[in-house]
Amino acid sequence: MNLQEFEAQYREAMAETLNELQTAVLLLAQVQQKISNIGSSIQTLSEGVEDFIANQKAE
């Protein structure tokens, strides 16, 4: 393998690795958004249950 082949192989491997990193970062952002949405849903459900319990106790 000469220097040009080595350089081409290095650049190709680096480009592929950077693409994989970018994909991972985008997936992480999606996971973070999903976790945030789930947290909001849990909070809404919890508030609904607390309101229901409070109303039932008031009757």
Side-chain angles (χ1 to χ4, degrees):
M1 173 184 303
N2 63 29
L3 181 59
Q4 289 175 340
E5 291 170 337
F6 178 80
E7 183 181 11
Q9 198 173 46
Y10 162 78
R11 289 182 186 276
E12 183 179 336
M14 184 61 76
E16 184 178 335
T17 302
L18 289 172
N19 284 337
E20 289 177 5
L21 178 60
Q22 184 178 26
T23 299
V25 169
L26 292 172
L27 289 171
L28 177 58
Q30 290 176 344
V31 168
Q32 289 173 324
Q33 182 61 47
K34 186 61 119 174
I35 290 170
S36 177
N37 291 345
I38 291 169
S40 294
S41 294
I42 289 172
Q43 184 174 3
T44 300
L45 286 169
S46 178
E47 289 169 358
V49 169
E50 291 294 328
D51 290 344
F52 176 76
I53 291 170
N55 289 335
Q56 290 298 310
K57 285 181 178 180
E59 290 180 2

